[in-house]
Amino acid sequence: MTDLTKLTIAAARDSLRKGDITSADLTQACLTAIDAADALNAFVHKTPDVAKSQAEAADQRLKAGDTPDLCGIPLGIKDLFCTKGVPSQAASRILEGFKPEYESTVTTQLFDAGAVMLGKLNMDEFAMGSSNETSVYGDAVNPWKVDDRKLTPGGSSGGSAAAVAADLCLGATGTDTGGSIRQPAAFTGITGIKPTYGRVSRWGVVAFASSLDQAGPMTKDVRDSAIMLRAMAGFDAKDSTSANIPVPDFEAALTGDIRGKVIGIPKEYRMDGMPAEIEQLWEDGTAMLRDAGAEIRDISLPHTKYALPAYYVIAPAEASSNLARYDGVRFGHRAKLAQGEGITEMYEKTRAEGFGPEVQRRVMVGTYVLSAGFYDAYYNRARKVRALIKRDFDHVFADGVDAILTPATPSAAFGLGEMADADPIKMYLNDVFTVTVNLAGLPGISVPAGRDASGLPLGLQLIGRPWEEGDLLNVAYSLERAAGFVAKPDRWW
């Protein structure tokens, strides 16, 4: 039965349709695996009763011949997605006890397609972090291990990455504001795609930075990402940034034929101090795509060096605005007041108690850059830089480039606690290869492509044209087949 959890979404879908397995058995296997994996702290709210009920309903649909791709497939849901009647805390104390009366659009679409919810997954508080160490639930732990060091699964979608890599679920939802799907996917040896901004509805997803946030799937391979993305994507009238563009069959695009495709290699991503193994992985990935028939072209994205500072002005600015609603009045945590204290003290105490240090830091930075004396010097200038970064990509794609290949992260997974007390800038540098994609609103995918000297997984990132996720997934599929990454973490938990 435990072998069932090792199935991909595609393999499980085919077996369910044939009647070789049932969703009830598949779901029970996952629930058993989750209970045995508390050491990973990936699932923070388990929902076995919901899962069993949904699995039973899925089996009835399958018997009746109603077989959407995700019918009967057990998934994990990041704690940033509102799920009706189930705690949805964004890993923050300030949303303690919050059980939404509504369902996010993404989870609604997944459940309508017959997917099964196993529970809610750990994450960095309000998606602010690169290591899953800012969560009110405690650290999520990478299933990959070196000696006795516990490693980060990355962030903010760390619980999602750990759960998929450890075969606790067949796929998971993630969100990506500056790399929060792609970086944890690279750290755990799985696949994760951030779609074009507007491809997937943000309605019912707790907001961090509204012009950057985008939900996407985290899966065991590229085909599974294609299957899950199709179910998650689509126009939503409740989200003003949702694009009214048809959703193609992404899985049908996976031919593996990339002959004649032009792959750009940006010189600005060759950074000083880049580890030799990351450099080598990038060269190996380039060779794999060339051998598959793609044309490799050196390109320039000249404003790349300004991306990280621009991101860390824009994202905190939007966060300070979005998080102003958490005041202890309507929902979530409310501080206890001393005799004589009033509404102002209640706001101050509630926010001081409810937000962790990293969230407080970003709210303060965001409030500062939006303040009257600094708005033009910081926020407006960052918006202009963002426009230049997008223009760099527009020029490259207009010049015939189909996709861009870069490293996904500047290193393999690091140890939990190794960066937590360091200069926060060191942690922010983990997003150096990924933030440009969010600033430009482009689709990007991380594919596991190798291992470092310690045996830890390393990922490569592919960046695609807007709305061309099918083409991007096909290039990723070709890279995945050439890399042949099949390694799994040794079970220690």
Side-chain angles (χ1 to χ4, degrees), residues 1-5 7-9 11-31 51-64 67 70-74 114-116 118 170:
M1 186 108 134
T2 52
D3 286 343
L4 290 178
T5 66
L7 291 171
T8 62
I9 290 173
R13 170 194 64 186
D14 297 345
S15 293
L16 285 164
R17 285 175 174 172
K18 287 183 203 162
D20 294 343
I21 60 173
T22 65
S23 179
D25 286 344
L26 185 58
T27 299
Q28 185 56 56
C30 289
L31 292 171
K52 289 172 184 175
S53 172
Q54 288 177 332
E56 194 176 303
D59 281 332
Q60 293 301 318
R61 283 180 73 171
L62 289 161
K63 278 182 190 168
T67 58
L70 289 180
C71 193
I73 302 294
V116 172
L118 297 165
L170 274 62

Side-chain angles (χ1 to χ4, degrees), residues 394-425:
D394 290 345
H395 286 164
V396 165
F397 290 130
D399 202 29
V401 170
D402 294 294
I404 297 166
L405 179 71
T406 79
T409 58
S411 70
F414 50 87
L416 287 166
E418 287 179 10
M419 287 202 196
D421 300 322
D423 177 354
I425 301 297

Side-chain angles (χ1 to χ4, degrees), residues 191-279:
T191 299
I193 181 169
K194 173 217 147 337
T196 310
Y197 182 79
R199 174 65 89 181
V200 176
S201 172
R202 293 184 300 108
W203 195 85
V205 181
V206 177
F208 164 14
S210 301
S211 75
L212 300 163
D213 299 344
Q214 189 62 193
M218 302 180 74
T219 61
K220 297 178 185 181
D221 62 19
V222 172
R223 183 174 296 278
D224 284 3
S225 281
I227 293 168
M228 197 167 157
L229 178 59
R230 188 184 184 195
M232 293 173 70
F235 174 66
D236 179 12
K238 295 196 290 289
D239 175 4
S240 63
T241 62
S242 174
N244 195 355
I245 292 176
V247 179
D249 183 346
F250 297 122
E251 188 183 8
L254 304 182
T255 63
D257 184 359
I258 61 166
R259 287 172 295 179
K261 295 287 183 187
V262 179
I263 308 298
I265 308 295
K267 64 181 183 182
E268 289 80 9
Y269 283 58
R270 298 188 189 282
M271 301 194 171
D272 293 339
M274 184 189 289
E277 55 199 6
I278 300 290
E279 185 85 45

Side-chain angles (χ1 to χ4, degrees), residues 2-3 34 42 50 78 111-112 208 217 265 278 316 338 369 387 411 422 426 430 470 481:
T2 52
D3 286 343
I34 291 165
V50 172
K78 186 177 179 178
F111 301 153
D112 285 349
F208 164 14
I265 308 295
I278 300 290
V369 301
S411 70
K426 289 184 180 175
N430 272 285
R481 291 202 301 181

